[in-house]
Amino acid sequence: MRVIRSPAKMQKTARSLKSRGHTLALVPTMGFLHAGHLALVRRARLMADKVIVSIFVNPTQFGPSEDFSRYPRDTRGDLAKLKMAGVDCVFMPTARAMYPDYFQTQVTVREVSRGLCGDARPGHFDGVAGVVLKLMNITQPDIAVFGKKDFQQLTVIKTMVRDLNLPVRIVGVPIVREKDGLAMSSRNVYLSADERVMARGLSRGLKAARDAANAGEARVAGLISRCRAELPRAPQIRVDYVACVNALTLKPLSRPTRKKTLMAVAVFVGRTRLIDNAVF
Ligand code: AMP
């Protein structure tokens, strides 16, 4: 497994692999890898000859009061996991190499970056779109693999790829969960033992809403209140949003449709902001 830090060297390596006829898959991550990330790697390996994983905690997608400086890191552990998973190449640039002085370009994918996490995290999806476009230009993938855990991110990237005619196929992988339903996330490490128990409420709420929808609940307000009822009433819990939107456009729904409904939640558990979602 090659570990490459320089964007120029990564681009040269990718071009050389492609010129030898290999197909490439990119899996972008911010490191502190867990089984969710490794599911993306497995999917990438099934779909391309060579797999490139990027590890980059991207400063431009964090707000000023967010957790950029304390975001968990474990480079040694990550590299061991990726080697075991059969990854061909790890791209690990520095922030300085990605954003040298006088960096000026911003990528905005307008409509789908609004609402849900876009409201709570202004500029976040500009940061995500910008870095993913850079990573794609650097690693030249035929396929890029993302998790459905970050559903709005996946939608932003699919939209950018379509709008800009990028020659990359975007693949979405289902959410990988802990045994008790909590969606895996690098940020789960922040949770205290009590908070970890309370965090079960997110996936339970989504399940309760799905069950209600299957049982014929036809009001969005009904689904939302079923979901909210599963979140513990405790001072550590602060709901950012519980929303039902059209899964394609991410626009709010006034009632569940026969088309796909995305139910998405973002909840602070203590200082940790957790997200989860379900499509039904
Ligand atoms: P992150 O390192 O959190 O930026 O995530 C990198 C990629 O892994 C993104 O495409 C995420 O959607 C995906 N991912 C993170 N957690 C999960 C999970 N529990 N299940 C599936 N994909 C995930």
Side-chain angles (χ1 to χ4, degrees):
M1 185 175 79
R2 294 185 65 183
V3 178
I4 299 179
R5 289 177 175 278
S6 146
K9 189 160 179 204
M10 181 68 247
Q11 199 173 47
K12 204 168 152 206
T13 303
R15 293 174 87 126
S16 137
L17 285 167
K18 292 194 89 169
S19 72
R20 279 181 271 148
H22 294 300
T23 55
L24 306 185
L26 169 67
V27 181
T29 81
M30 298 203 299
F32 210 72
L33 303 178
H34 51 65
H37 297 113
L38 298 178
L40 271 54
V41 170
R42 273 199 303 279
R43 176 66 75 85
R45 283 195 67 190
L46 290 175
M47 299 189 76
D49 302 333
K50 302 282 177 190
V51 174
I52 303 168
V53 174
S54 62
I55 299 179
F56 180 56
V57 183
N58 174 39
T60 67
Q61 71 190 66
F62 287 79
S65 57
E66 292 183 352
D67 57 345
F68 173 68
S69 55
R70 64 184 190 109
Y71 195 84
R73 290 159 215 250
D74 176 20
T75 305
R76 266 238 224 139
D78 288 349
L79 292 178
K81 285 173 193 164
L82 295 177
K83 198 167 174 188
M84 283 280 287
V87 166
D88 300 279
C89 187
V90 181
F91 177 51
M92 268 189 351
T94 61
R96 186 136 188 89
M98 290 292 271
Y99 302 108
D101 289 344
Y102 309 114
F103 186 91
Q104 310 192 26
T105 303
Q106 179 179 310
V107 182
T108 299
V109 184
R110 282 195 291 264
E111 292 290 314
V112 292
S113 295
R114 296 188 187 130
L116 306 177
C117 291
D119 285 351
R121 307 185 68 188
H124 169 68
F125 290 113
D126 293 355
V128 168
V131 80
V132 169
L133 183 55
K134 278 174 71 74
L135 290 169
M136 285 175 175
N137 283 329
I138 293 166
T139 64
Q140 309 267 312
D142 300 280
I143 289 164
V145 186
F146 296 85
K148 292 185 182 172
K149 155 124 190 308
D150 300 88
F151 197 95
Q152 190 172 14
Q153 166 174 285
L154 177 60
T155 307
V156 166
I157 287 157
K158 281 182 180 164
T159 306
M160 173 178 78
V161 162
R162 191 201 57 200
D163 289 356
L164 301 181
N165 307 90
L166 301 178
V168 185
R169 175 163 164 212
I170 302 301
V171 175
V173 171
I175 301 174
V176 177
R177 299 177 178 282
E178 302 284 357
K179 279 208 184 79
D180 66 357
L182 177 67
M184 289 195 183
S185 164
S186 307
R187 290 189 168 101
N188 291 348
V189 71
Y190 297 147
L191 300 170
S192 70
D194 287 353
E195 290 169 350
R196 174 64 186 78
V197 173
M198 289 186 221
R200 292 177 189 159
L202 280 83
S203 57
R204 278 202 198 145
L206 292 167
K207 184 174 180 305
R210 182 200 292 272
D211 291 348
N214 287 341
E217 173 59 84
R219 296 165 312 131
V220 163
L223 297 178
I224 289 176
S225 68
R226 293 295 177 92
C227 184
R228 279 181 176 261
E230 297 296 323
L231 296 169
R233 256 151 291 275
Q236 296 95 319
I237 298 289
R238 184 161 64 80
V239 177
D240 183 350
Y241 63 78
V242 175
C244 277
V245 299
N246 178 310
L248 289 176
T249 63
L250 307 189
K251 297 275 184 237
L253 288 174
S254 44
R255 57 194 160 81
T257 58
R258 246 179 269 146
K259 298 202 186 105
K260 282 188 171 174
T261 298
L262 169 72
M263 182 136 199
V265 299
V267 178
F268 281 93
V269 181
R271 285 175 67 197
T272 307
R273 186 173 180 279
L274 299 179
I275 58 171
D276 200 349
N277 68 77
V279 177
F280 47 80

